[in-house]
Amino acid sequence: DVYKRQGINAEYGSLPNTFPEDRNLKKMSDLPIYGIDIELKNKFEGKYDTEGESRMIAFIERFTEPKPADTSFQVWLKNGLPLCRMAQAIRPDLMGPFREDAVKPFQMMENIEAFHKWCSGMGLLPKDLFQTVDLYEAKNMTNVLTSLLVLKTHLEKIESKETPAPPL
């Protein structure tokens, strides 16, 4: 067969089939990583603040349903619902529409984007927000957690300004 002699996989077009075991991959984050990418991944994982995650879970749960015990932080937030529900409970006038029944990837990502718009309306800068893919594909959960902790601090500052100081 001409294709086999040239190292071309006819089933998948003209690209060589260098990773036959990877045919069933669903997203880029499923690809194997090598070299500096492994070093960067380990560095990000080393910076992850599990204590901050616990504080953030407790904060979000004040406004939404509790996180299921057998679910990771990323999986719990992946569809964007806990974030959107929290936003709606805090400032419903700034929260746009979101999908309560989000099961498809684009619906979940739209929920995360709706939460981002709400954060912008609350005064957070774009540099303070995580990227949708950071949460949805668990690309950079350190960035997600940092962004949520920045939001929490921002909300606490707003709340302290709105609460009158006790008389001296």
Side-chain angles (χ1 to χ4, degrees):
D1 186 4
V2 174
Y3 291 116
K4 286 184 182 175
R5 280 186 301 213
Q6 295 176 353
I8 298 173
N9 182 348
E11 181 182 351
Y12 293 101
S14 62
L15 298 174
N17 189 8
T18 54
F19 300 106
E21 68 279 1
D22 293 341
R23 277 187 241 158
N24 296 322
L25 297 177
K26 301 285 189 253
K27 54 190 174 196
M28 290 299 292
S29 62
D30 291 338
L31 290 173
I33 56 175
Y34 304 99
I36 194 166
D37 291 334
I38 289 175
E39 293 174 27
L40 290 173
K41 181 181 179 204
N42 291 338
K43 184 177 179 181
F44 279 128
E45 288 174 356
K47 289 183 176 182
Y48 194 76
D49 180 10
T50 54
E51 193 175 302
E53 178 184 295
S54 298
R55 287 194 320 268
M56 202 62 228
I57 290 170
F59 183 77
I60 295 170
E61 286 178 336
R62 288 174 40 197
F63 305 99
T64 66
E65 70 282 348
K67 179 181 95 55
D70 60 341
T71 303
S72 72
F73 186 59
Q74 185 267 337
V75 171
W76 182 49
L77 298 179
K78 182 177 180 175
N79 66 5
L81 280 179
L83 299 173
C84 290
R85 288 175 180 157
M86 174 187 68
Q88 191 171 42
I90 294 171
R91 284 285 306 269
D93 57 319
L94 292 179
M95 187 63 210
F98 61 95
R99 302 279 307 240
E100 287 280 345
D101 60 343
V103 291
K104 295 180 180 175
F106 74 90
Q107 294 170 335
M108 294 178 192
M109 288 187 267
E110 285 175 351
N111 280 353
I112 297 169
E113 287 299 322
F115 174 72
H116 281 159
K117 287 178 185 172
W118 178 83
C119 288
S120 295
M122 289 297 293
L124 260 65
L125 301 173
K127 70 178 183 74
D128 293 328
L129 297 175
F130 60 90
Q131 299 294 312
T132 301
V133 71
D134 289 343
L135 173 57
Y136 184 77
E137 291 187 6
K139 284 279 192 184
N140 188 347
M141 287 305 293
T142 301
N143 193 27
V144 172
L145 182 59
T146 302
S147 296
L148 292 174
L149 289 170
V150 166
L151 171 66
K152 180 180 181 289
T153 303
H154 182 72
L155 292 173
E156 288 168 348
K157 285 180 184 176
I158 291 172
E159 185 180 48
S160 69
K161 288 179 183 176
E162 291 175 355
T163 306
L168 298 175

